[in-house]
Amino acid sequence: MDALLTAVGNVFTSAIGWVGTTASTIAGQPILLLACVGIPLCGLGVGMFKRLLSARA
């Protein structure tokens, strides 16, 4: 059981490191930041606006 918990802890620590590396890479490149943050936010706004219009009818 102890070895299993250690292995799970190691995998979790590695995954957090990968997420940090990916986030810093995305934040450092403006085109990646636009593609990963800007475009989904625009899509979210359009989708919410369409729902607002159809709920009004």
Side-chain angles (χ1 to χ4, degrees):
M1 186 66 177
D2 192 35
L4 176 66
L5 289 175
T6 302
V8 169
N10 288 339
V11 169
F12 184 74
T13 303
S14 296
I16 294 298
W18 295 333
V19 168
T21 303
T22 304
S24 64
T25 301
I26 289 173
Q29 301 292 326
I31 192 73
L32 287 176
L33 188 61
L34 178 67
C36 293
V37 177
I39 293 172
L41 284 178
C42 289
L44 179 68
V46 168
M48 291 182 80
F49 188 68
K50 285 175 63 175
R51 282 187 184 188
L52 179 67
L53 289 179
S54 55
R56 217 180 107 223

